[in-house]
Amino acid sequence: MSRDHVSPPTVTRDSIHTVDDDSFHSGTVCLVTGAGSGIGRAVALAAAGNGLTVAATDVDEAGLAETRERAEELDLDGPIEPVAGDLTVDEDLERVVEEAAGLGQLTYLANVAGMQHIDPIDEFPMETYDRIHDVMLRAPLYLSKLAIPHFREREDGRGCVGNMASVHGHYVTSDKVAYNVSKFGLRGLTQSIAAEGEGEIRAFSVSTGYVKTPLVTGQLEDTAEQRGISVDEVIEDVMLGQSRVKEMMEPIDVGNLFVVGFSDLSRHLNGGDLLYDGGMTLTYE
Ligand code: NAD
């Protein structure tokens, strides 16, 4: 494995898959959280690459500006409109949905933003637990609650929520209780939307193992040093140790999954989870 496997890749136009779907045009709005970095940015670029108008939200305004710049460099069909906001503030969530709905027909919501904190349960700071819960579970629910009435305004009454879960929504590792609980909860939210959506308003989740984002690649050198092993060994033995596919996913791979999940190709995907983990959770030794 060469060293260039270690830096987060930039999304290219060729890496964005396009899907033929009647709703994929600039009159349709896709709201994406966490759009200032990593997977959220890739989802935003993939949606814009499919002609959708993207309401890109994040607390990181500089990150949002970079996402928009990248979309312009790639000359994508749909525009990316930054709508900054903090997912822990209800007034921000209300404003973000209102602004997104003002850009066209709000039809798709991608809940991607997330964070991590590592501590054992008996030492886990409760204010950190609450913050992670607010960003990763409460905000996706509140955004869905606010977006669903807009979905219903469509002539066909259709809309879809895609939630970024994780292998940690299937099994857990120690010292990540807030993350684990949020990801399991996000799958519950996904199924709840499906239960109430009468087949018109769908929901799905996406669960991956490690994806090459700044969050992950930034830890490689430190982990290698701590464990006294090479960066390649950290990738192959630690991060991909249980995966049968010995290659980390790229953010755009996940972006493309959201586009397929939103499209009519996935009209029977409802409440389900797209488990793209290279065999990590379903195989043993
Ligand atoms: P990232 O750190 O690159 O991006 C997360 C984004 O969320 C950041 O831009 C951050 O500003 C934003 N955010 C955090 N708190 C916020 C708040 N209060 N209000 C608004 N925005 C806020 O991380 P990433 O690797 O792209 O991860 C994105 C999602 O994918 C997360 O939900 C994560 O759990 C999930 N995921 C990541 C991996 C991986 O290996 N990278 C694997 C599985 C699942």
Side-chain angles (χ1 to χ4, degrees), residues 33-40 57-60 85-88 111-115 131 135-136 164-168 179 183 186 206-216:
T33 77
S37 177
I39 295 169
T57 191
D58 203 295
V59 76
D60 174 3
D86 185 335
L87 295 174
T88 66
N111 287 305
V112 183
M115 54 201 291
R131 186 168 177 78
V135 171
M136 293 175 62
M164 186 62 201
S166 163
V167 290
H168 291 89
Y179 191 88
K183 293 305 190 191
L186 206 50
V206 178
S207 291
T208 68
Y210 288 98
V211 181
K212 238 183 273 176
T213 69
L215 191 83
V216 169

Side-chain angles (χ1 to χ4, degrees), residues 52-233:
L52 292 160
T53 290
V54 176
T57 191
D58 203 295
V59 76
D60 174 3
E61 294 192 36
L64 284 181
E66 273 179 51
T67 303
R68 182 186 223 180
E69 216 171 280
R70 188 68 193 136
E72 283 166 2
E73 281 164 11
L74 295 175
D75 194 23
L76 299 179
D77 290 349
I80 292 194
E81 303 293 346
V83 187
D86 185 335
L87 295 174
T88 66
V89 179
D90 280 1
E91 296 74 35
D92 281 15
L93 299 177
E94 290 153 11
R95 177 180 47 78
V96 163
V97 172
E98 204 180 304
E99 286 187 31
L103 297 170
Q105 175 57 60
L106 181 58
T107 306
Y108 302 115
L109 165 64
N111 287 305
V112 183
M115 54 201 291
Q116 183 59 279
H117 181 88
I118 296 180
D119 251 326
I121 291 172
D122 56 351
E123 290 170 22
F124 211 93
M126 287 315 290
E127 64 277 14
T128 307
Y129 178 87
D130 288 342
R131 186 168 177 78
I132 290 179
H133 179 100
D134 283 353
V135 171
M136 293 175 62
L137 194 50
R138 189 177 182 284
L141 164 62
Y142 195 29
L143 288 174
S144 302
K145 177 185 153 92
L146 294 165
I148 284 170
H150 291 287
F151 298 169
R152 292 208 172 105
E153 285 165 10
R154 275 181 67 92
E155 222 166 90
D156 60 8
R158 292 197 180 184
C160 185
V161 178
N163 292 317
M164 186 62 201
S166 163
V167 290
H168 291 89
H170 291 261
Y171 68 0
V172 305
T173 42
S174 46
D175 301 339
K176 294 182 180 172
V177 66
Y179 191 88
N180 297 333
V181 168
S182 295
K183 293 305 190 191
F184 270 75
L186 206 50
R187 294 189 59 206
L189 170 63
T190 305
Q191 291 176 224
S192 302
I193 295 167
E196 295 181 22
E198 297 182 340
E200 303 290 340
I201 291 164
R202 294 187 296 110
F204 65 91
S205 55
V206 178
S207 291
T208 68
Y210 288 98
V211 181
K212 238 183 273 176
T213 69
L215 191 83
V216 169
T217 56
Q219 301 168 21
L220 291 172
E221 306 268 351
D222 283 351
T223 310
E225 210 175 295
Q226 272 163 12
R227 296 187 180 224
I229 56 178
S230 70
V231 165
D232 285 352
E233 283 168 329

